[in-house]
Amino acid sequence: DAGVIQSPRHEVTEMGQEVTLRCKPISGHDYLFWYRQTMMRGLELLIYFNNNVPIDDSGMPEDRFSAKMPNASFSTLKIQPSEPRDSAVYFCASSPGTSSADTQYFGPGTRLTVL
Amino acid sequence: SQQGEEDPQALSIQEGENATMNCSYKTSINNLQWYRQNSGRGLVHLILIRSNEREKHSGRLRVTLDTSKKSSSLLITASRAADTASYFCATGARGGSEKLVFGKGTKLTVNP
């Protein structure tokens, strides 16, 4: 298996632009997680899905952020409009969900820079 | 709020020495996991210890869990330069949630 795939790996955009981050989880995994990592705040869970349904979006910072999972093999995290404080590394992770708080498998991340 | 807090924040040792990192947490857990992150990469799962376990080994890794003190430690024996990375503990809460809450990590540097 190729593991969790994220694209793009790097994104540089200007304030006010729309940004879309993409993730393909490991086939057969029922759970998908979006995280944001910064030096100041560490690794924060933004939202997670179970069988394509959003379960907990309490970590989504504000209405500018939205996430979708239209099918089991694809998810997007969208920021519209983007702001400089959104600059961070965004990770997608998936887990089989065979037991509570199962091992998570992380993608390589998308490094977002908003100018 | 963050569940796990690692200690120390940074650790620098010589190759061949042992490295010990600690993690404290606040509420009841289902399990505790340790992950490693190399610079510029995603996190990689190292080891999982369940709340009813006290110690677990995997290769050069040894993890202990003390639920009465709400703490865990990760020991890397005979460290290598390739062990240089950040190490995170993550806790899964009781109650069936799939969420993991990560600490801010310990940055380990192993000098050759």
Side-chain angles (χ1 to χ4, degrees):
Chain A
D1 199 319
V4 175
I5 299 172
Q6 291 186 248
S7 66
R9 293 294 310 277
H10 301 274
E11 177 81 31
V12 180
T13 191
E14 293 192 346
M15 183 174 63
Q17 297 297 306
E18 177 179 294
V19 175
T20 300
L21 311 182
R22 297 172 176 80
C23 175
K24 176 178 167 55
I26 293 172
S27 176
H29 282 191
D30 291 339
Y31 287 84
L32 184 140
F33 305 82
W34 281 102
Y35 291 91
R36 177 173 68 177
Q37 186 178 39
T38 61
M39 289 293 292
M40 289 297 295
R41 300 173 68 88
L43 194 67
E44 302 173 280
L45 176 65
L46 300 177
I47 185 172
Y48 78 95
F49 295 83
N50 178 23
N51 291 322
N52 314 337
V53 176
I55 301 301
D56 185 342
D57 65 355
S58 59
M60 296 285 262
E62 47 198 275
D63 292 346
R64 297 185 298 105
F65 286 69
S66 62
K68 293 182 180 179
M69 192 164 185
N71 57 61
S73 59
F74 184 66
S75 177
T76 59
L77 178 68
K78 187 175 292 187
I79 308 172
Q80 166 64 15
S82 58
E83 296 182 3
R85 61 192 168 123
D86 301 331
S87 296
V89 182
Y90 291 80
F91 288 102
C92 174
S94 68
S95 78
T98 52
S99 62
S100 177
D102 208 343
T103 297
Q104 295 183 14
Y105 298 80
F106 282 74
T110 295
R111 182 174 295 276
L112 173 65
T113 302
V114 183
L115 302 174
Chain B
S1 63
Q2 291 210 316
Q3 176 77 299
E5 294 288 339
E6 290 90 344
D7 168 55
Q9 289 187 331
L11 180 62
S12 181
I13 60 174
Q14 295 299 124
E15 216 168 17
E17 293 180 343
N18 296 341
T20 300
M21 289 159 271
N22 303 296
C23 170
S24 59
Y25 58 92
K26 296 176 181 173
T27 59
S28 295
I29 61 170
N30 185 53
N31 65 50
L32 186 144
Q33 304 179 31
W34 285 90
Y35 288 77
R36 183 176 96 173
Q37 183 179 32
N38 288 81
S39 181
R41 309 286 290 273
L43 280 73
V44 175
H45 178 259
L46 293 175
I47 195 165
L48 180 154
I49 186 165
R50 302 195 185 282
S51 60
N52 61 354
E53 298 176 308
R54 292 296 167 257
E55 188 170 312
K56 203 160 183 182
H57 297 255
S58 176
R60 293 184 296 112
L61 305 180
R62 173 178 168 252
V63 170
T64 61
L65 179 64
D66 187 336
T67 53
S68 66
K69 295 181 179 178
K70 292 187 168 54
S71 68
S72 173
S73 67
L74 171 67
L75 169 67
I76 304 175
T77 60
S79 64
R80 305 166 182 168
D83 295 328
T84 294
S86 291
Y87 292 82
F88 296 85
C89 69
T91 50
R94 283 200 181 279
S97 170
E98 282 302 310
K99 288 169 64 169
L100 291 177
V101 180
F102 288 81
K104 286 196 173 181
T106 292
K107 186 173 176 60
L108 173 66
T109 302
V110 181
N111 301 298

